[in-house]
Amino acid sequence: MTVGLEFPDGFVWGAATAAYQIEGAARDDGRGPSIWDTFSRTPGKVYAGHTGDVACDHYHRYPDDVGLMADLDLRAYRFSISWPRVRPDGTGPVNPRGLDFYDRLVDELIGRGIDPIVTLYHWDLPQTLEDRGGWTSRDTAYWFAEYAAAVYTRLGDRVSTWTTLNEPWCSAYLGYASGVHAPGRQDPADAFAAVHHLLLGHGLAVRALRAAGAENIGITLNPAAVLPADPESAADAEAVRVVDGLANRIFFDPILAGGYPPDVLEHMRRFTDLGFIQDGDEKAIAAAIDLLGVNYYSPTYVAGRPDAPGGGLAHPGTEGILFLPPAGPLTEMGWQIEPAGLTALLERIGRDYPTTPLYITENGAAFDDKVGPDGQVADADRIAYLDGHLRAVHTAIQRGVDVRGYLVWSLMDNFEWAEGYRKRFGIIHVDYQTQRRTLKDSALWYREVVARNGLTS
Ligand code: FCB
């Protein structure tokens, strides 16, 4: 059989989810409250007051859900562990019943030949830790490393791939600067303290996992594909430098290049005296990693315009920069569909940080899917999105970027944070009244992609 676009041998195909978005069972087996329980109960924060209390009820339905993954022939499954299940108040005793769930899930996955990829933190900080300062407090970084070690002790014999944080950009800037995510604070100085403590927590967790015997450790970022409105304009290039610094180099450089870039430190100093950066922190953050997870959905176009207001609270200090409104075809989130942005991003990471293998740990799209009368979910727009982005990944690989795997976001429709359940990212449809799962056309299409290790031309 001729194959149009074949991926490298051993390329990892899978799907991704996160604990708060799918598990439900918010009070089962000793789970403590997280900042998302609090935030979703705060009026006006989440669409229609939706919460993760029940979500996809995956906590109880995981055997069937793993069965669906096996039906789709997925080779890997990226999921996150809920810190407030494992250590309900963040610092006290480990709750074995919380770990039991992940123990069962991991066994189920392995029994079906699916490789578990663990994310240790996908935004659900124990509320008790937020009450003690959250990510603005240095202690949170140390508690995170302790929690990571506790999870490893239980699952390390069967889980080989560990990632520390999911998208610290969102945790810090959306959680502490714009406030559209939990815990909903709005102070740029807090956001920069959170960036630093998230990075420190990452570094300390890597050290703890490594010491315990883990071999394949990384982190997932959502680097922005920042592009100039006009590639010829010096002002636009300067805007790219600033936004790239705040969104990308502030994470990449401490993790992969030994420390914060001077221009980013200078930018942060407009809001804070940087007293939170202590001697030895940058060394801890730069602990060697084995893989970098890249989440990509949409590009960001910027231009230098003296009178532009900047990118809003999530982009502190970007006055004089115009963030162009999304153009062209959009997803249901209003996000611009541009696969070339992914190629450009991967090539950039491959060029500037060449030694770390990359995995696409999230990529996908929300559309207004409906189950038809015949039980079919005809999501041709999602298939087109995924097809285009897989081609973009393939192009980057052909140009020499070391991309080892692709995990679609998401396995199933779920709680889309501030958007609640109204945005559907799954390749499996979830009816939240009945908890019935239906494979969308994109799931059937993806099964073929996995079987072929690529796309037909
Ligand atoms: C990412 C998150 C993930 C999901 C997708 C759509 O930023 O990591 O949980 O919400 O966006």
Side-chain angles (χ1 to χ4, degrees), residues 75-395:
R75 311 292 158 79
Y77 174 53
R78 170 180 181 254
F79 61 96
S80 80
I81 308 256
S82 158
W83 185 348
R85 281 197 199 288
V86 173
R87 235 179 160 187
D89 73 358
T91 63
V94 169
N95 170 32
R97 289 184 300 158
L99 278 168
D100 287 348
F101 167 67
Y102 299 104
D103 204 277
R104 295 193 295 272
L105 173 62
V106 163
D107 282 347
E108 194 78 26
L109 288 165
I110 291 173
R112 297 291 205 135
I114 301 166
D115 196 23
I117 298 179
V118 163
T119 303
L120 285 160
Y121 184 71
H122 201 128
W123 305 355
D124 45 359
L125 187 73
Q127 179 61 42
T128 48
L129 290 186
E130 174 57 24
D131 298 342
R132 296 163 74 162
W135 287 109
T136 64
S137 160
R138 187 176 176 85
D139 291 344
T140 302
Y142 290 86
W143 297 126
F144 176 64
E146 277 195 10
Y147 147 75
V151 177
Y152 187 86
T153 301
R154 186 71 177 271
L155 304 178
D157 57 337
R158 285 154 294 150
V159 172
S160 55
T161 306
W162 294 85
T163 59
T164 54
L165 308 173
N166 175 71
E167 301 191 354
W169 182 89
C170 293
S171 299
Y173 293 101
L174 301 184
Y176 293 85
S178 76
V180 303
H181 279 185
R185 293 205 239 163
Q186 291 188 329
D187 180 337
D190 284 349
F192 290 122
V195 164
H196 183 68
H197 296 136
L198 283 153
L199 283 168
L200 181 62
H202 156 78
L204 296 172
V206 170
R207 188 154 78 194
L209 292 167
R210 191 81 70 197
E215 285 173 2
N216 207 23
I217 314 173
I219 183 170
T220 282
L221 302 177
N222 58 319
V226 194
L227 301 162
D230 172 3
E232 306 294 319
S233 153
D236 293 3
E238 173 60 9
V240 168
R241 179 192 66 76
V242 172
V243 176
D244 179 63
L246 277 178
N248 297 334
R249 289 180 291 113
I250 196 170
F251 297 107
F252 283 146
D253 285 28
I255 295 169
L256 298 168
Y260 291 105
D263 65 317
V264 172
L265 288 172
E266 199 181 302
H267 191 108
M268 289 197 271
R269 258 190 220 105
R270 291 165 56 185
F271 301 93
T272 157
D273 63 8
L274 297 178
F276 47 76
I277 304 180
Q278 299 189 6
D279 283 355
D281 285 1
E282 283 172 302
K283 187 160 182 285
I285 296 167
I289 56 172
D290 311 290
L291 66 114
L292 180 67
V294 174
N295 293 354
Y296 173 83
Y297 291 92
S298 192
T300 305
Y301 281 92
V302 296
R305 301 279 162 78
D307 49 1
L313 294 175
H315 304 271
T318 55
E319 301 77 20
I321 296 177
L322 178 70
F323 285 65
L324 273 64
L330 307 180
T331 70
E332 190 65 17
M333 296 291 279
W335 295 349
Q336 182 164 336
I337 302 175
E338 195 170 300
L342 178 54
T343 308
L345 177 64
L346 292 171
E347 285 192 88
R348 181 277 170 99
I349 300 172
R351 187 183 61 238
D352 291 350
Y353 310 95
T355 51
T356 315
L358 308 180
Y359 287 76
I360 308 300
T361 36
E362 286 181 28
N363 174 241
F367 291 107
D368 187 16
D369 307 311
K370 302 265 187 293
V371 182
D374 50 358
Q376 187 189 2
V377 184
D379 61 339
D381 32 18
R382 181 172 292 98
I383 294 175
Y385 180 99
L386 298 175
D387 179 274
H389 286 78
L390 282 172
R391 285 171 201 277
V393 174
H394 193 266
T395 302

